[in-house]
Amino acid sequence: MNRIGDDLFSPALDGLNPAQRLAAGQSGGPVLVIAGAGSGKTRTLVHRVAYLVERGVEPSRILLLTFTRKAAQEMLNRARDLNPECARVEGGTFHSLCYRLLRAHASRLGLNRQFTVIDRGDCEQLIRGVINEQKLKTKGDRQFPRARTINDIISKSRNQELTLEDAIEQWAGHLLGYQEEIIKAAQGFAAAKRAQGLVDYDDLLFLAEELLRDHDDLRRRFSKHWQHLLVDEYQDTNAVQARLLKLLASEHDNLMVVGDDAQSIYRFRGARVQNIFEFPQQYPGTKVVKLEQNYRSTQAILDLSNEVIAQAWHRYDKKLFTERLGGKRPVLRRPRDDRSQVRLVCERIGELMKADNKPEDIAVLFRASRDSYELELELTANRVPFVKVGGFRFLEASHIKDALSHLRVIANPSDFLSWQRLLMLLPGVGPKKAQRAIRHLVEAESPELYLGRLASVPGLGGAAFDRLAELMSELSDPSATPITLVEAVIDYYEPICRETHEDYPRRLRDLEELPGLARGFSTLAEFMAEVVLEPPNAYAAETQGGRITLSTVHSAKGLEWANVFILWATDGRLPPQMALMDPESLEEERRLMYVACTRAAGELTILAPMESYQRGRGVVTNELSRFLAELPHGLLENPREAVFEVPQPKAAPQSRGSQHQDRPFPVGTMVEHNTFGKGRVMGYKGGKKILVHFERHGLKILLLEFANLSKA
């Protein structure tokens, strides 16, 4: 059956290249779009939405799913620019869709309709409570797994759909001795969530699947309502998300998914690259369209990227090309060690900025956050402004959680986590006193009466408590808008923030973001859910200008810079040591290298230090990353490093005796210093200075007369 649209020359397809037109102009049925890096997948989805509306599909019957709210909003705004009717197209994240379904039909699952969505920090706090309540940890047991570790194991077991026993064995084998306690903590965690009407991120997906799977009338209703489903970043979906799509498309199979198997790098979050490979089998008659024209990088960078991914053992064949022919070949630098790597990067950054490159056009990428510590110190010392992508999300900051806890108990009075948090902000109230207060609230006939009992909590009183009671009364006004409620909480919390945090000016600026976020919502429940489902980044403004970006490759996906550096391209770092024993992990690391390379638009520099210090082993030799070592010759420019070459002044020949006296330790000799420890002699500077690379302190230039070196 020919699924191509009847009119590929429609206005909605103007400006697309042939492959993009083919993808956006499908009339229906299952479509898999393999979108290479920088190939304009967002543009294709935007025009696809406009094309469907142009062909007569009711806008509200189209559903666009992405992994971030920002991406969905951007796509729908661009589609609206093409056709104002697209303003009525529905879009959002998987989690926000599941939230809407559950909020409307919670009773079908015996779920409290006022349920609260909790984040990672809340989960950990709840697990700690379970551990203490059930006395799972014996006093003085320092080896007992932390709540964060237990929460990670629980989440991984659910996302990978493994038993807890298998998850512990696979992800935390060193904790097998605590398997029974971890299982009891997980069971208590699930029971506490049910009792308090709490739902975590994983619950949203699995409960929504249960709702559609076990209630056929709802499955049919929603599948018939959304006549066309469009999904971005399909390679990042997990197993339950793929099943949710199957349920939602069950009445028509009008499902277009867009993704790139070569950019599937989130296995640790549960992403399942097999979803994109299995799609044609799951949906017979699938039309596969490849987007291979790249609009970001030079051909020289694409040639390298194509060869990196060509070695993958399971992939969709594609070859990225561009009209930006030629370009500077990517450069591979082999500095001596970490410090030399940092020096090379800083020198090149200085050259780029002198050549009028903006700091925001420069990025340094790495596999793990620790890989940039030395560079951060050097940039700071040289007063080079930078921002490091990653760290705490906005909502995970303690001051934001403090403020929002007051609103969360209004939205869900059974949210005891939030009750404890807000009560402990009062002077003299610790965990035990907060728990006694909560037990007093629970004695009310129903959660709706908790607020009324607040004024009679025994053991609590004083001006601070009176202010809290007054605030909670104000927040209980059913006619108040979310922005009004947020303003009231900030007024209340500001003096607490000033007393609690030394850096309160920065935290107060963060709090000022909340009213703007609340402005677009009509109910408190909607606002609380949306903020938790995808916390915005309060520090995003720092990345907009005047700063170099330091980022893990995982955080850099979807972004691009004119000039990119990749650190530590060595076996043991990229790929990391643990991945070398697992074929699937190794394949994902290859994809990670591909993603890193394709972030660069004009200049790509890859650094692979020849040596590194390892605790217990000393200085070890590093092998070049296997993903680069196996490449054909000519893709990389590999200049000869001269970092450690010290120019010597021409002098008259000396006798062997005087040479030995001026240079008592031959180059390469291991020596020992009273302060710096062991190191290797790298060279001499004149007759008075010696260059030594110390295992723990890097390269030092010492005066021979005072160094007091001895042969190690």
Side-chain angles (χ1 to χ4, degrees):
M1 177 179 178
N2 184 8
R3 299 198 181 274
I4 300 176
D6 297 329
D7 183 10
L8 290 183
F9 298 98
S10 70
L13 303 181
D14 286 348
L16 300 181
N17 66 38
Q20 292 171 335
R21 294 174 69 87
L22 183 62
Q26 299 294 313
S27 60
V31 183
L32 171 61
V33 180
I34 303 298
S39 62
K41 68 177 178 62
T42 299
R43 182 179 180 84
T44 303
L45 279 169
V46 166
H47 283 260
R48 170 66 173 168
V49 170
Y51 177 78
L52 290 173
V53 172
E54 181 183 86
R55 301 295 293 174
V57 178
E58 167 61 32
S60 64
R61 313 297 287 275
I62 301 171
L63 177 63
L64 172 64
L65 291 175
T66 69
F67 275 82
T68 67
R69 180 180 57 192
K70 180 181 177 182
Q73 290 174 339
E74 178 187 342
M75 289 186 194
L76 294 180
N77 287 341
R78 288 170 59 177
R80 185 181 58 200
D81 290 341
L82 294 175
N83 186 335
E85 285 295 303
C86 293
R88 295 191 290 119
V89 172
E90 296 194 50
T93 66
F94 277 93
H95 290 87
S96 64
L97 170 67
C98 292
Y99 172 83
R100 288 165 52 197
L101 296 177
L102 293 173
R103 182 66 77 181
H105 303 284
S107 60
R108 297 273 193 122
L109 301 175
L111 181 66
N112 179 358
R113 191 174 182 276
Q114 292 179 300
F115 67 84
T116 297
V117 181
I118 58 175
D119 65 14
R120 179 180 60 187
D122 298 323
C123 292
E124 292 167 12
Q125 184 180 342
L126 203 58
I127 290 170
R128 275 192 291 271
V130 170
I131 292 171
N132 294 333
E133 185 178 332
Q134 297 189 14
K135 296 181 172 57
L136 298 177
K137 178 182 178 181
T138 58
K139 190 174 182 179
D141 184 359
R142 296 185 177 182
Q143 303 300 316
F144 193 89
R146 296 181 178 181
R148 172 177 292 184
T149 302
I150 295 176
N151 184 52
D152 285 345
I153 293 171
I154 294 170
S155 184
K156 284 178 178 176
S157 74
R158 300 193 71 188
N159 278 288
Q160 301 281 353
E161 303 195 9
L162 301 170
T163 64
L164 270 173
E165 293 86 346
D166 288 342
I168 295 169
E169 183 176 352
Q170 181 172 338
W171 299 99
H174 62 292
L175 297 177
L176 283 171
Y178 292 100
Q179 179 171 291
E180 183 178 346
E181 289 84 355
I182 293 173
I183 292 174
K184 287 182 179 178
Q187 293 169 342
F189 174 56
K193 286 190 294 182
R194 283 194 299 272
Q196 299 183 37
L198 305 177
V199 172
D200 64 29
Y201 295 141
D202 297 326
D203 294 330
L204 285 169
L205 300 176
F206 285 99
L207 289 173
E209 180 194 17
E210 181 183 344
L211 183 71
L212 297 178
R213 183 192 64 216
D214 297 347
H215 298 84
D216 208 48
D217 60 321
L218 292 181
R219 177 192 61 77
R220 289 196 304 271
R221 184 204 305 181
F222 289 115
S223 182
K224 289 178 179 178
H225 174 73
W226 288 306
Q227 295 175 347
H228 286 270
L229 305 175
L230 289 78
V231 183
D232 190 20
E233 304 285 12
Y234 189 67
Q235 79 281 347
D236 293 336
T237 55
N238 59 21
V240 65
Q241 287 166 329
R243 294 197 298 270
L244 276 167
L245 291 173
K246 189 76 173 174
L247 291 166
L248 289 170
S250 58
E251 295 294 312
H252 47 69
D253 276 356
N254 291 330
L255 172 62
M256 172 182 282
V257 299
V258 180
D260 183 6
D261 57 290
Q263 297 187 73
S264 180
I265 58 173
Y266 297 119
R267 182 168 171 243
F268 67 97
R269 294 181 187 168
R272 187 173 180 271
V273 69
Q274 291 88 345
N275 285 353
I276 200 167
F277 292 127
E278 295 170 357
F279 188 87
Q281 288 74 47
Q282 291 288 327
Y283 299 88
T286 293
K287 177 72 176 180
V288 179
V289 182
K290 298 178 185 177
L291 305 184
E292 298 173 289
Q293 183 171 354
N294 178 281
Y295 293 92
R296 173 188 302 153
S297 307
T298 63
Q299 191 61 51
I301 291 173
L302 296 182
D303 289 342
L304 171 68
S305 305
N306 285 333
E307 288 296 335
V308 166
I309 204 62
Q311 307 299 324
W313 60 272
H314 195 189
R315 68 186 188 280
Y316 282 103
D317 288 324
K318 62 181 178 302
K319 196 151 190 160
L320 297 180
F321 67 92
T322 180
E323 294 180 353
R324 297 182 64 191
L325 301 179
K328 184 178 179 180
R329 277 194 304 171
V331 178
L332 172 65
R333 307 298 299 265
R334 297 300 311 271
R336 174 71 64 180
D337 58 7
D338 190 6
R339 291 186 179 231
S340 304
Q341 173 178 245
V342 165
R343 187 159 58 248
L344 283 175
V345 171
C346 289
E347 287 175 358
R348 183 57 188 151
I349 287 175
E351 293 169 357
L352 289 170
M353 294 177 69
K354 284 180 181 177
D356 293 330
N357 286 274
K358 296 178 181 178
E360 56 266 32
D361 292 334
I362 303 171
V364 183
L365 309 182
F366 32 86
R367 174 62 178 80
S369 183
R370 62 183 173 85
D371 293 338
S372 71
Y373 291 165
E374 192 80 29
L375 178 61
E376 292 172 47
L377 294 175
E378 190 74 15
L379 291 174
T380 301
N382 287 285
R383 298 185 178 180
V384 178
F386 68 89
V387 59
K388 188 170 183 179
V389 176
F392 284 110
R393 292 182 299 178
F394 179 64
L395 192 74
E396 292 176 339
S398 61
H399 52 296
I400 301 298
K401 291 174 74 75
D402 286 345
L404 291 182
S405 64
H406 300 83
L407 298 173
R408 286 172 56 165
V409 298
I410 299 297
N412 175 13
S414 297
D415 183 354
F416 303 134
L417 276 176
S418 294
W419 273 116
Q420 180 165 338
R421 189 174 196 101
L422 68 87
L423 288 170
M424 287 175 60
L425 294 173
L426 298 173
V429 178
K432 291 184 179 179
K433 188 173 285 188
Q435 286 296 320
R436 286 199 299 270
I438 290 172
R439 283 195 291 271
H440 175 76
L441 298 180
V442 174
E443 291 174 1
E445 295 179 5
S446 69
E448 287 71 23
L449 301 177
Y450 289 175
L451 290 175
R453 288 180 64 85
L454 188 60
S456 62
V457 172
L460 292 182
F465 182 77
D466 291 342
R467 285 196 297 273
L468 172 62
E470 182 180 343
L471 170 71
M472 302 311 286
S473 175
E474 184 177 352
L475 298 182
S476 302
D477 181 0
S479 64
T481 62
I483 191 170
T484 302
L485 299 177
V486 168
E487 293 281 11
V489 169
I490 293 176
D491 289 342
Y492 166 81
Y493 181 68
E494 181 176 343
I496 298 175
C497 184
R498 290 177 180 273
E499 293 175 10
T500 307
H501 302 288
E502 289 184 356
D503 59 343
Y504 67 84
R506 176 183 67 80
R507 295 175 187 263
L508 291 177
R509 286 196 298 271
D510 291 348
L511 290 167
E512 291 171 1
E513 298 289 328
L514 289 175
L517 295 173
R519 192 162 59 98
F521 297 92
S522 57
T523 69
L524 178 62
E526 289 177 358
F527 168 60
M528 295 304 298
E530 196 68 17
V531 171
V532 176
L533 287 175
E534 191 189 342
N537 187 347
Y539 310 105
E542 294 185 351
T543 68
Q544 296 305 305
R547 295 171 183 260
I548 291 164
T549 300
L550 309 186
S551 175
T552 62
V553 183
H554 286 101
S555 296
K557 183 174 172 292
L559 303 176
E560 62 181 79
W561 294 269
N563 308 281
V564 170
F565 299 85
I566 302 174
L567 303 183
W568 285 111
T570 60
D571 266 12
R573 295 286 190 118
L574 181 56
Q577 198 66 38
M578 288 196 305
L580 301 180
M581 301 296 105
D582 178 9
E584 287 191 18
S585 295
L586 195 58
E587 284 298 288
E588 181 161 271
E589 295 299 326
R590 181 187 301 281
R591 298 193 291 268
L592 203 65
M593 177 67 83
Y594 172 83
V595 168
C597 293
T598 53
R599 298 312 93 197
E603 181 175 309
L604 174 63
T605 304
I606 304 174
L607 298 107
M610 293 187 290
E611 293 180 353
S612 60
Y613 177 81
Q614 293 183 10
R615 188 177 181 186
R617 296 181 62 193
V619 176
V620 299
T621 302
N622 297 322
E623 297 292 335
L624 180 65
S625 171
R626 61 192 61 200
F627 307 139
L628 302 177
E630 62 197 12
L631 295 176
H633 180 73
L635 293 173
L636 285 163
E637 182 181 334
N638 190 3
R640 181 172 179 268
E641 300 301 342
V643 177
F644 283 85
E645 292 182 2
V646 181
Q648 300 293 333
K650 292 184 178 180
Q654 294 179 312
S655 67
R656 297 181 75 179
S658 65
Q659 174 78 12
H660 178 76
Q661 186 177 7
D662 289 344
R663 301 183 179 184
F665 304 103
V667 173
T669 303
M670 291 298 294
V671 296
E672 193 157 4
H673 186 273
N674 290 337
T675 301
F676 301 129
K678 292 182 180 180
R680 179 181 282 110
V681 176
M682 308 306 301
Y684 289 85
K685 195 168 185 178
K688 296 183 178 181
K689 297 179 181 179
I690 184 171
L691 284 75
V692 183
H693 180 268
F694 291 99
E695 295 175 352
R696 295 179 181 237
H697 297 275
L699 182 68
K700 299 291 181 183
I701 302 177
L702 307 173
L703 286 170
L704 271 169
E705 184 180 356
F706 303 107
N708 292 323
L709 294 171
S710 60
K711 192 172 181 179

